[in-house]
Amino acid sequence: MKLIRLFVFLFALPLFAQQGGMWIPSLLEGMNETEMQNLGMKMSAEDIYSVNQSSLKDAVPHFNGGCTSEVISPKGLVLTNHHCGYGQIQSHSSVENDYLADGFWAKSMSHELANPGMSVTFIVEITDVTEKVLKETENASSEEERQKIIEKNKQAVVENSPKEKWETNRVSTFYDGNQFMLFRVETFKDIRLVGAPPSSVGKFGSDTDNWTWPRHTGDFSLFRIYADENNRPAEYSEDNVPYTPKHYLPISLDGVAEDDFTLVFGFPGSTDEYLPSVAIEQLTETINPARIGLREVALKEQDVFMRKDKKIKIQYASKYSSIANYYKKWIGENQGMKKTDVVGKKKEQEKEFMKRVKAEGLQNEYGSILSDFDKAYAEFRDYDLAYNYFSESFLRNVELLRNGFQLYQLEQVLENRGKQSFKDRKENLLKRFKSSYKDYSAKVDEKVFEKVIEVYANKMPQQFVSSDLKQKNKAELTQEIYTNSALTSYKSLKKLMKGNPKKVIKKLNKDEGYAFIKKQAERFYEDVLPAYQNKRLEIDALQKEYMKAILTLSPKDARIFPNANGTLRVTYGQVKGYSPKDAVYYEPVTHLEGVIEKYVADDYEFDAPQTLIDLYEAKDYGNYADDGKMPVNFIGTNHTTGGNSGSPVIDAHGNLVGLNFDRVWEGTMSDFYYDPVISRNIMVDARYILFIIDKYANATHLINEMKLVHPKAGDNAVKKKRLIKNSQ
Ligand code: ARG
Ligand code: ASP
């Protein structure tokens, strides 16, 4: 037995991740705690997550479902990224009052701006409920039935687990369906905008610098949580009061140095670290290039208009950013996959895996799993490609198509669920259209449509493209639709949607734009989606087995972390530079000097505010400088992903030292394979944030709310540095 364990241990070491990992905060005791303390952490696992006393987790809410944020004052002040608050900042902006361009600072609490529909969610408690969720699944006759039982069990756990009346229970899936956790959460709905720097600080470098290092972006914004008089969640009301948090993060004025311990606490959205090599091959060779190609044409068209029209620039700022973000990410991801040879590495792991399966006598269980993957992915390829082309074109990048697709779903609602559901959905849609058409320009969208449909018709696996779409001249098609369709303005669309359900559907079907969308959508629903979903289910079931095998074949304390799934996680590492290519080494910290180096007056991406330049010239940095220089951004080995934006970067003692907002381009394949050599997360130095709030915006009332600390005051190295400085 001992021998086998030893063998497993030796074998399993090179099999999976030695570094990286996004860990479940309630399960840090043991291996993670030791690892973190070895890296320099002075806290215990209990300081990070505790149910019995306040802990770091009580200061880290999920921000509006997609980002992370942290409470930084006893009055519910919340810090997140500028790009996470971007939609809100944009929606309060107009050409006259352009908070995107000029920034926004509420003079007092009564000036803070409400954001209907927004929320932040705190995690109250995490409990393992695997046994309850997998109850009676062994006897299921098919994968579908198994999934049904799981859903039923999850529902029962959600309903039967204790909670306060303002709380919610949720169950999330870990390790591809091998573990289930219950989250008791508390969601606040009155969240107000407090402050944001101008985009020339908060988005400095824009898309050119996005996903790259060296970086110089002050990517932060401030919000405040409001609660009812009992400090409980409540809908927006003037009577609400600032929320008193269970915990808020003190902010360190001492900054970071290379090799310092950092912990990033947040809500990473989704990763896939245990895919077989065949999946990575398909992603990098087929799926990513398709998505990149399609987005490229959409972006090019929008960009032309945004550069010459101020109104369009504001209207399309948020949309453009979000399309551009993953467009660029996928390019970097593909490069990183190649550089690290992820496919080659995975193939090596798979060889080892098979050896191990054999050695343990588990051929019956897992002997064919890799060849099953090969077969399933080969069959999946065209459907997955078609799925991506359809969703990128009809659900994402062309607004008329996206809106039309929602109307198509409305027609389905009438057919499947009747008149009342139709009416409710229609009201809802009209509300959504009202706000989205505010930022709609038919002339921009028309150009995007023409180019996207061209790509769609030519590049989509041809068996799924109707012959009339293939033959039709795309410029003509575009012109016909944008001249005749009511979907090109809110006014005409609202008129079209007047009347009883039957009448609305009749009018819709006569609309040229709608008819086009319906035809394509029907093809998609008939020819692509059912097969796509079947194959997906098959692949997911294989992946669950593969994950189980990996867990079984690894020693108990192996570093096998669950994929990100939008739940709260801890990742940790050190401040560290990296070498992106031969002969080049990147330092881990940037300074205001770099902003000035990149600055181009009135540039679309690299303009900087005059006040900032003046502060730089006067070296007027207040308490926030490091050896006379103003730090801006830094990088580290923390394993992060989308959703970690806005995550607090915490020092060895539990203080805020930075704000996570991005990763370096070469390392973005970390969603599939974390490479400690080139994967780095990018953070704003907390002192830069304080400097902008205090010296740039003069919002000292906000600084006064915070708790600023000097955790390194007793540190000999720092003392020495100060001593030398003072004697100079
Ligand atoms: N790349 C970062 C993230 O994924 C920042 C995105 C900001 N958007 C932009 N297009 N510059 O969220
Ligand atoms: N920028 C990302 C976010 O918004 C973070 C990342 O992907 O590294 O969550």
Side-chain angles (χ1 to χ4, degrees):
M1 182 62 208
K2 241 191 182 155
L3 252 183
I4 290 181
R5 273 249 156 256
L6 188 67
F7 176 61
V8 171
F9 190 65
L10 285 178
F11 170 79
L13 267 184
L15 233 194
F16 292 99
Q18 289 309 289
Q19 292 192 46
M22 302 161 169
W23 307 94
I24 303 173
S26 53
L27 305 175
L28 296 174
E29 264 164 39
M31 187 269 292
N32 294 125
E33 189 178 40
T34 310
E35 226 176 54
M36 289 192 279
Q37 288 171 345
N38 287 342
L39 285 172
M41 185 179 81
K42 302 286 183 247
M43 293 178 288
S44 66
E46 180 88 0
D47 293 326
I48 299 170
Y49 172 94
S50 170
V51 196
N52 307 316
Q53 65 198 46
S54 69
S55 55
L56 289 184
K57 78 144 171 51
D58 298 317
V60 187
H62 207 176
F63 186 82
N64 215 17
C67 281
T68 304
S69 55
E70 50 278 356
V71 188
I72 53 165
S73 95
K75 294 180 196 160
L77 187 63
V78 158
L79 176 67
T80 189
N81 289 140
H82 185 260
H83 80 261
C84 294
Y86 204 62
Q88 282 74 35
I89 305 166
Q90 190 253 342
S91 75
H92 292 294
S93 295
S94 58
V95 173
E96 300 73 43
N97 253 330
D98 190 350
Y99 301 141
L100 284 178
D102 307 328
F104 168 80
W105 303 96
K107 284 198 247 8
S108 69
M109 284 186 190
S110 63
H111 291 87
E112 296 173 357
L113 302 175
N115 300 287
M118 238 200 100
S119 64
V120 306
T121 298
F122 290 91
I123 306 303
V124 183
E125 187 172 10
I126 309 174
T127 321
D128 193 321
V129 289
T130 309
E131 238 173 73
K132 288 182 186 162
V133 173
L134 291 181
K135 212 170 71 192
E136 284 160 20
T137 52
E138 297 86 12
N139 310 324
S141 58
S142 68
E143 186 52 31
E144 260 174 317
E145 196 194 322
R146 217 183 84 88
Q147 288 306 328
K148 269 196 199 134
I149 303 175
I150 290 181
E151 279 318 306
K152 217 176 91 205
N153 288 345
K154 273 188 182 172
Q155 200 53 37
V157 170
V158 164
E159 278 161 20
N160 303 333
S161 305
K163 67 168 192 71
E164 301 291 347
K165 66 173 186 301
W166 59 87
E167 295 173 341
T168 312
N169 284 330
R170 294 182 188 153
V171 173
S172 295
T173 306
F174 293 74
Y175 294 110
D176 300 313
N178 289 288
Q179 188 180 22
F180 296 86
M181 297 290 226
L182 170 70
F183 291 78
R184 185 149 64 87
V185 308
E186 190 178 20
T187 297
F188 288 83
K189 294 180 177 153
D190 185 352
I191 314 298
R192 304 186 197 168
L193 178 62
V194 174
S199 292
S200 53
V201 171
K203 199 179 162 57
F204 181 76
S206 196
D207 292 305
T208 298
D209 268 13
N210 191 21
W211 298 111
T212 61
W213 184 256
R215 190 68 156 277
H216 300 87
T217 311
D219 194 346
F220 79 95
S221 60
L222 293 163
F223 287 78
R224 193 184 303 280
I225 305 172
Y226 282 78
D228 69 13
E229 75 271 21
N230 300 317
N231 207 33
R232 301 283 175 232
E235 295 295 333
Y236 172 84
S237 158
E238 273 187 30
D239 301 332
N240 286 345
V241 293
Y243 168 64
T244 306
K246 292 188 203 128
H247 182 67
Y248 66 92
L249 298 177
I251 305 178
S252 165
L253 283 170
D254 292 345
V256 291
E258 181 136 27
D259 295 332
D260 274 5
F261 169 81
T262 51
L263 180 156
V264 176
F265 209 176
F267 293 83
S270 138
T271 58
D272 251 318
E273 311 279 347
Y274 305 96
L275 289 179
S277 57
V278 58
I280 301 289
E281 257 167 347
Q282 206 161 95
L283 177 76
T284 50
E285 280 164 26
T286 307
I287 306 299
N288 275 351
R291 304 192 283 199
I292 293 165
L294 201 128
R295 285 197 178 193
E296 188 159 283
V297 299
L299 288 168
K300 230 191 218 148
E301 298 307 321
Q302 290 189 356
D303 186 59
V304 171
F305 287 96
M306 287 171 73
R307 280 180 191 264
K308 57 182 192 213
D309 186 322
K310 212 170 162 188
K311 182 166 167 218
I312 291 178
K313 184 177 171 188
I314 297 174
Q315 286 180 317
Y316 278 75
S318 188
K319 288 181 275 204
Y320 184 92
S321 262
S322 89
I323 302 172
N325 193 34
Y326 264 63
Y327 160 73
K328 192 167 178 185
K329 187 301 182 154
W330 291 321
I331 297 176
E333 184 174 284
N334 264 13
Q335 288 185 3
M337 293 277 206
K338 240 194 221 145
K339 188 172 157 112
T340 296
D341 186 23
V342 176
V343 171
K345 290 216 166 84
K346 292 245 170 197
K347 284 200 166 137
E348 282 304 306
Q349 290 179 347
E350 286 162 10
K351 258 194 224 150
E352 295 289 327
F353 173 82
M354 288 310 288
K355 263 196 224 158
R356 184 83 208 115
V357 166
K358 222 169 170 182
E360 296 280 315
L362 292 171
Q363 284 106 318
N364 277 346
E365 285 84 349
Y366 305 121
S368 69
I369 200 160
L370 291 170
S371 53
D372 290 347
F373 266 131
D374 286 346
K375 190 166 157 283
Y377 273 101
E379 290 164 2
F380 187 49
R381 182 191 177 275
D382 276 7
Y383 295 107
D384 194 18
L385 188 57
Y387 182 90
N388 274 282
Y389 271 121
F390 186 82
S391 55
E392 284 292 314
S393 310
F394 284 79
L395 312 179
R396 192 76 175 78
N397 299 313
V398 187
E399 291 165 275
L400 182 132
L401 295 180
R402 199 176 56 205
N403 295 335
F405 185 77
Q406 291 179 1
L407 292 168
Y408 172 70
Q409 289 177 315
L410 178 70
E411 186 172 350
Q412 309 280 299
V413 166
L414 183 63
E415 266 169 41
N416 303 329
R417 282 190 248 151
K419 281 187 191 160
Q420 192 49 47
S421 302
F422 176 90
K423 278 185 191 151
D424 297 344
R425 174 74 77 104
K426 186 179 115 174
E427 283 319 304
N428 233 319
L429 263 185
L430 275 171
K431 253 191 238 154
R432 242 189 281 162
F433 287 150
K434 190 173 178 188
S435 81
S436 70
Y437 273 93
K438 177 170 103 31
D439 293 327
Y440 180 75
S441 158
K443 59 181 181 189
V444 178
D445 199 44
E446 180 173 355
K447 279 280 168 230
V448 175
F449 177 100
E450 186 182 331
K451 292 288 159 30
V452 165
I453 283 300
E454 183 90 51
V455 176
Y456 181 79
N458 291 338
K459 296 282 180 68
M460 176 93 162
Q462 290 297 297
Q463 66 271 34
F464 303 125
V465 187
S466 63
S467 50
D468 47 338
L469 178 60
K470 270 187 214 168
Q471 280 148 19
K472 182 97 187 163
N473 176 304
K474 306 301 175 298
E476 261 170 38
L477 172 75
T478 309
Q479 212 198 9
E480 277 166 26
I481 289 179
Y482 282 79
T483 316
N484 302 322
S485 174
L487 272 65
T488 50
S489 84
Y490 179 63
K491 209 169 134 202
S492 51
L493 182 55
K494 203 170 133 194
K495 204 167 132 210
L496 184 107
M497 288 177 77
K498 262 214 174 90
N500 64 40
K502 224 170 133 192
K503 202 165 153 200
V504 173
I505 296 301
K506 203 168 156 200
K507 284 194 281 179
L508 263 178
N509 278 283
K510 276 199 191 139
D511 185 275
E512 226 163 297
Y514 182 77
F516 171 76
I517 291 156
K518 184 170 170 181
K519 203 165 181 184
Q520 308 308 320
E522 277 174 350
R523 284 218 64 139
F524 175 74
Y525 272 89
E526 276 162 33
D527 302 348
V528 180
L529 197 62
Y532 172 88
Q533 281 170 335
N534 266 336
K535 282 286 141 209
R536 185 80 264 172
L537 202 64
E538 189 186 316
I539 287 175
D540 288 349
L542 282 174
Q543 187 67 44
K544 183 192 137 262
E545 281 308 297
Y546 189 42
M547 192 72 238
K548 191 164 147 197
I550 292 170
L551 290 166
T552 316
L553 294 174
S554 303
K556 245 182 136 33
D557 57 352
R559 299 184 88 267
I560 311 255
F561 50 89
N563 280 320
N565 59 358
T567 62
L568 184 62
R569 300 292 178 90
V570 167
T571 172
Y572 47 87
Q574 286 171 302
V575 177
K576 260 202 200 322
Y578 73 110
S579 168
K581 54 187 169 202
D582 188 34
V584 178
Y585 178 75
Y586 283 153
E587 303 267 335
V589 181
T590 61
H591 299 89
L592 198 52
E593 278 68 13
V595 174
I596 305 300
E597 280 169 13
K598 286 180 179 172
Y599 164 67
V600 180
D602 297 323
D603 185 67
Y604 194 73
E605 303 192 301
F606 292 97
D607 195 12
Q610 189 55 46
T611 315
L612 184 67
I613 297 169
D614 293 345
L615 288 166
Y616 165 75
E617 272 161 9
K619 300 283 172 287
D620 186 2
Y621 300 151
N623 278 333
Y624 311 117
D626 194 332
D627 257 349
K629 281 168 86 174
M630 187 67 238
V632 176
N633 293 159
F634 63 99
I635 51 175
T637 57
N638 310 288
H639 186 183
T640 54
T641 187
N644 267 123
S645 275
S647 296
V649 184
I650 294 168
D651 70 1
H653 312 274
N655 307 304
L656 187 82
V657 281
L659 177 64
N660 185 71
F661 74 103
D662 209 2
R663 278 171 287 164
V664 306
W665 215 36
E666 298 83 358
T668 48
M669 77 303 173
S670 61
D671 290 347
F672 302 94
Y673 189 98
Y674 178 86
D675 181 352
V677 178
I678 53 170
S679 292
R680 296 288 178 274
N681 69 315
I682 311 183
M683 303 155 270
V684 194
D685 194 303
R687 291 166 300 177
Y688 190 55
I689 296 172
L690 296 171
F691 162 75
I692 294 290
I693 298 173
D694 185 347
K695 304 301 289 187
Y696 171 83
N698 293 317
T700 41
H701 59 289
L702 296 176
I703 301 281
N704 294 338
E705 274 185 43
M706 305 170 191
K707 183 171 166 191
L708 308 184
V709 296
H710 277 291
K712 288 186 178 175
D715 188 324
N716 280 337
V718 175
K719 264 191 201 154
K720 218 162 108 194
K721 219 157 100 180
R722 288 220 180 96
L723 225 69
I724 296 171
K725 222 178 121 201
N726 290 342
S727 64
Q728 276 169 353

